[in-house]
Every structure is written in structure tokens, then in C-alpha cells.
Amino acid sequence: MTIMTASFANPKNDAASIERRVQALLAEMTLAEKIGQMNQVNASDEDMPHHLREAIEAGRVGSVLNQVDVDTVNELQRIAVQESRLGIPLLVGRDVIHGFKTVMPIPLGQAATWNPDIVREGARVAAREAATAGINWTFAPMIDISRDPRWGRIAESLGEDPYLASQLAVAMVEGFQGDDLTDAGTIAATAKHFAGYGASESGRDYATVNIPENELRNVHLPPFKAAVDTGVVSLMAAFSDLDGVPATGNEFLLRDVLRDEWDFTGFVVSDWDSVRQLAIHGLTEDDRESVYQAVTAGVDMEMAGQSYVQHLESLIDEGRIDVATIDAMVANILRAKFRLGLFEKPYTDPRALPPIANEHALDTARQAALQSAVLLKNDHGVLPLSANKLKSVAVIGPLADAPYEQLGTWIFDGDRELSITPMHAIHSLVGHEVDVRYLRAMDNSRSRASEAFDEAEEIARDSDVVLLFLGEESILSGEAHSRADINLPGDQAELVRRVKAAGKPVIAIIQAGRPLTLTNIIDDVDAILFAWHPGTMGGPAIAELLFGVESPSGKLPVTFPRMVGQIPIYYSQKNTGKPPSPETVVLIDDIDAHAPQLSTGMTAYHLDAGFTPLFPFGYGLSYTEFDYQDIRTSAEEVGLGDTLTVSAELTNVGDFDAEEVVQLYVRDLVANVTRPVKELKGFRRLRLESGQTVTVNFELHTSDLAFFGRDMKLINEPGKFHAWIGGSSETQLRTEFRIIDGD
Ligand code: BGC
């Protein structure tokens, strides 16, 4: 046994020294050891199986995933470092998606904060906690643009918009990876799933994806480009088929775009067994051919499948794959291990890291939950409640006291014991002044048993106000948990009607992993606070919002449809040749009997849904009112390559000190390819005291308006633009400017 670690360890971690060490190490490696680095093995068993120990010792494993017992992880590292011939440490991967033990809101909820600072801090907390278990690599952030709420994985996404998702993707990568990946408590991030997975047909998970290249480049790739530019260590290839070529075998994505255009120097991991799935897709005949395709396309590491280990060597022997290709791929993986400082510090001492669920972690989770909740409706200012004006509050519903469900999907390590539920939080906040009466009413969100509804109605009648906790259990969203019907599941709508019949104000607090079609309950409730799955500290955040300790300030990162048939519905649609307007819309009930078909005046809308969503992207109410005035630009014209300022005056004209997310949208009126009717180009979360006015300035460089044209190249064209500033994508406060050719 040779212990080589020391010779490759070097505290100087600049890129040049890393490159030298990568090459020196590669020169020492046998082909089998190289292939070993490309192999990631599931190590979730509690007892470390003998074959895993042997495989690591023989240098046939580059990474493990799903082992979170720190002693076991340290032992695995010890075998890799001290017992394998070259002493190469392991990447230890885990899905740390929105927290480790302390759980932040689901990523879609975090996106509703529109706050990169809190998102960054959430990832930082998650990284520190995960690092205590020896995890050095997470499979997050998931940055698939998601415009289909049926898709269960929309919960894991940062929503529908390329700009918002890019900004938050950067924040998450920064949070996980810190300033220096060798620092304790930082872990490597993975931008996933590259690319287009969010556009699965009908929102059915793993389904086919067809995205024209222009849309791929303008909409789906920007968050990945942003993550790459931020130094994300790895990318994960998607399960899905993109225009006939599954991402795991897609050379265009993994080589042409990622390596040649973006100069990515990190590594690409497959998704779980997605190399072998190439044969199931029908792209290849067998596993061996799948390995050929995946390696040729540029998948550096295979997750879970073992087919690289089985077939790669013979493909190289036959000369179908050359060693130089393998060397480059292994170098990508080794580079990551050096960047992480694993050669210097392969082991984990949890005591050297901050304790799990410490005050800062819980406070970050609380802040994130506070800022993520979106107030969708608040008739007659029914919210906020004032405890001193109430005698009793009814707390009803399957999600009022559901510590596990509030955590949401992908919480392998999330600790439900840490959860503070809304019911408990409401008790602690106002229980000393107000009589809080709790009834679960339904076993779970899908229940069809309505025996308790009489009692619910009775409690509602005897109380001053009803807080109705509705939504989806966590298992109804996430991977492979798509729904075709996105109404509130089970008999919840009936529960709403029964409670409403009691005649008291009804406030619905909805926890869910996706936008829901709320059309069938919206008129029966006075207010709706949409809290997503808010995580460990969801309860206190919700209680504080309901009782006005803070004002809601979340804004929708995704459009809420009125009905499923409108999907996909998103704000940055194209205008079409027949854009709808209120004047052109005649809904189904307004059509005269025997009305003849006309060929004039017809526009793009649904007879039964119109053309507007239930709630638009960027929308969210507050306890105060924000007034926007005087939008203007610093000049009427801006030369290509220059910067323009777009400004507006924002006043808090209500009585409540509160935060507002100010949004800047732009439309390129005429272009080489048709452009969306509105595109988000800037946003800022600001706190304004009641009565306060601020000037909000957005700097817009003309390159921020570049887009991919017909030849799939990024172009910047002169021409006329509209710009809007406001509190949602439906803002009407508009100005215009022109980009002129600088020469
Ligand atoms: C998911 C990935 C995840 C991986 C490992 C796959 O099924 O698609 O997002 O990182 O499993 O758990």
C-alpha cells in the first residue's frame, strides 16, 4: 500500500497549481483507476457492504452518494485515502435541496422571496449542516425553468422566469460553495438538470421534451450559463429526451454548448442510472452502447448505474473511445476534488462546524418563510388580525399541525422534530389573549371523509375568525409526483364551503408544492395566504404574518392558472398575430345561440378561461399599499454598449411598514425573432416605512437586452423598447426608449 495523498496535497489552491496537480496525478493513474473516478456508487446501506470497501480500496469508486453517517463517511474516505493505491479522496454526494436538518421553504417558495440574500444564506446554512455529515457535494440547485404546475418537480425549481431563476441560481451556488471551496462548511453545488427537463410534456415527470433551439437558448439555458459563470462545480444531465436526443447522450448540450461555448471546467454527472436509460429511451441497443453515447456526449461521471465500470475499458481497447477523452473527463472530476481541498482535508470533524439547527439556522429559515408567503387575496383588509380585538380563533384543517408535511419534498435529512407548526406558533403568539380552537377536520389533504365537517362548521360559527389550513401534503409534489388535476385535493373545497356557511371571515392558508387552481374556492374565502411548503419555521412565519408582526411580501415566481387547460401559461409569452384584449374576449356564456362563425375579431384566448391567469407572475399583496409614479429613463436613446437608467418613484401610501419587491420589465418591440411581450430585467426588495417615498433606479446595460436570434447567436439590436416598473408583471406604468447603433 502506498500513501500518495501527501504528494498531491498542496495548500496553494490556485487554478494553475490545481491543473499541475491534476496532470501529475493523471500521469500516475491506470486506466482502471481513471474509470473508477468516473463511477459514483450508492452507499446508502447502513452497514458498509464489503464490496464497496473493496471497490474503493481498488480505486474503482470516485464518488459515493446517500451516506450521511459521519463516521461511515470518514471510514470511506480513510479507505480511499489510505488504502487505495493513489489515495484519491471521494466526492460524497447528497440531495441537499432546501436544507439539511433545518429545512428552508421549498425552492419555489424561496424564489417567491425574490431575495438573493436570503436564498444565499439558506444554501449556506444547508451546506454547513450537510458538511457535518461529511457531505462535500450537493445535487442542487435545480434550475429547470418550470412553466407547468402539474409537474411535481416545479416545487424544486426557481419558477418560470429565466432572469429570476438565474439570479437565484447564482445566489444558491454562492451559498453552497462560499468564497473558497476549501473553507470548512462549503460544499460543491450541481446545476441540474441540464437541460429542458422542466418542459416535460403535460407536466408528466420524465416525459418527452421538445424545445426549439431558439427557445432553449433564450429561456432554458440562461440559469445554467449563470451558474457556470459563478463557478458551479458540476452539472447534472437531465433524464429527459430533448428533441429526440436524451440529455445524457446529448453532445450538442454537453459539448457544443457547455464546453465549447461556455468553457465549463467542472464535471458533468449523469442522473440516477440515466446512462443505462439511454437504451430504454430507444437511443441505443444495450448498456455498452449507452456508455459509448454518454461518454462521447460528455457525461464525466455515472451516477448509480455501474455501466461505465463494466463497459468503458473494452470500448477503449477497441479504439472506439480514446484515452485522451477519458483523461479530459477524469481531469474534470479531479479538478473538483482539488478545488474542494479534499486532498488536504479528506475527513470531517463535525465539532469544528457550527451546531445543527442553531439560532442563526432557524432564524434564516424563519426569515425565508416570512418572505416567501404570498398574500393572494385580502378582501376588506381582513388581514392582519389583531389579537386584542378577537376573543376566539378557529384553526381548522389538515395542514395546521403537520410537522412533516410543512417541510415539503426532498427532505431526506430534514428533521420533523424541529418543525414548529402554525397551530403551535399561533398558540405561542396569541394563545394568552385569544381562545385558539383547533380541529384537524381531515386526516390528510387527500381525505374524502367528511364526518368532521359538522364540527368544523360549529367551531367556525362559535369563533370570531377562521384560519383554514389547506393545501397538499408533501408527497403530492416532487420527483415522479405530478398531478393532472391541480385543485385542492380530497374534500378540501367542500370543507371550505362548510366553514364558509358559518358566516365568519375565512382565511385560507395554503401550503403546497406547486401553484394550485383555486378558482373553485376563491370566492368562498376572504383571504388567501399562499405559504408553499414553508419548512421548519413555517409555523412562526405564518403566525407572524397573520397577526401583522410583519406584512406579507412574497411575490409569485410562477403564474397561477385559472384552470389546467390554460397550461402552459406564463407572463413572458409572445404577442402572436392575434393578441387578445378585454375588448375581443367573448366568453362561452356570452355567445349568442346559433352565433355564426366569423373570421374577424378573433384572438388568442380560451372561450372558457379568457386569456388572463388567476394570479400573474410577480403578484403579491401587502398589508400596506405601494404607489408607483413617474417612470422615466435617463435618456430617450442609448447607444449599443452603453447603460441607461430606468427610474420610478415608490411610496408606501398605507399604514404599515413593509417590504416591496420592485420589478423592472422590458419589451423589445421589433426584433430578428419575435420577443416576449414582457421580460423581467431587474428587481429589488426594499423596506419602506409608512409614508416613505424612494426613487428606485435600475441600471440597464444594452447587453442585458441581448437575445439569441435566428442563427442561434447572441445578438444585440438597435430599436425601440418599452420598460415598465411596478409590483407585478401586470404593472401598467410604462415608458419607452430606443437603442441606437453606437457608431
Ligand atoms: C433525481 C436527481 C437526484 C438524484 C439523486 C434522481 O432521481 O432526478 O435530481 O439528484 O436522483 O438522488
Side-chain angles (χ1 to χ4, degrees), residues 65-66 94-95 97 139 142 153 156 192-193 197 206 236 239 271-272 303 410 412 479:
L65 79 163
N66 292 341
R94 182 68 160 172
D95 291 282
I97 307 295
F139 308 123
M142 188 195 104
R153 301 198 82 165
E156 283 176 68
K192 75 184 187 187
H193 306 83
Y197 184 33
Y206 317 127
M236 186 185 292
F239 279 130
D271 204 339
W272 186 280
M303 178 188 280
W410 280 115
F412 285 161
E479 184 174 352

Side-chain angles (χ1 to χ4, degrees), residues 324-337:
T325 304
I326 299 300
D327 283 353
M329 296 172 96
V330 175
N332 293 337
I333 297 164
L334 295 177
R335 195 174 296 125
K337 295 186 175 187

Side-chain angles (χ1 to χ4, degrees), residues 177-217:
Q177 297 194 169
D179 296 331
D180 180 345
L181 271 165
T182 62
D183 290 347
T186 60
I187 61 179
T190 309
K192 75 184 187 187
H193 306 83
F194 196 61
Y197 184 33
S200 303
E201 279 179 353
S202 78
R204 192 161 50 93
D205 209 1
Y206 317 127
T208 302
V209 169
N210 283 300
I211 307 175
E213 186 180 337
N214 191 261
E215 185 179 331
L216 184 75
R217 289 183 177 276

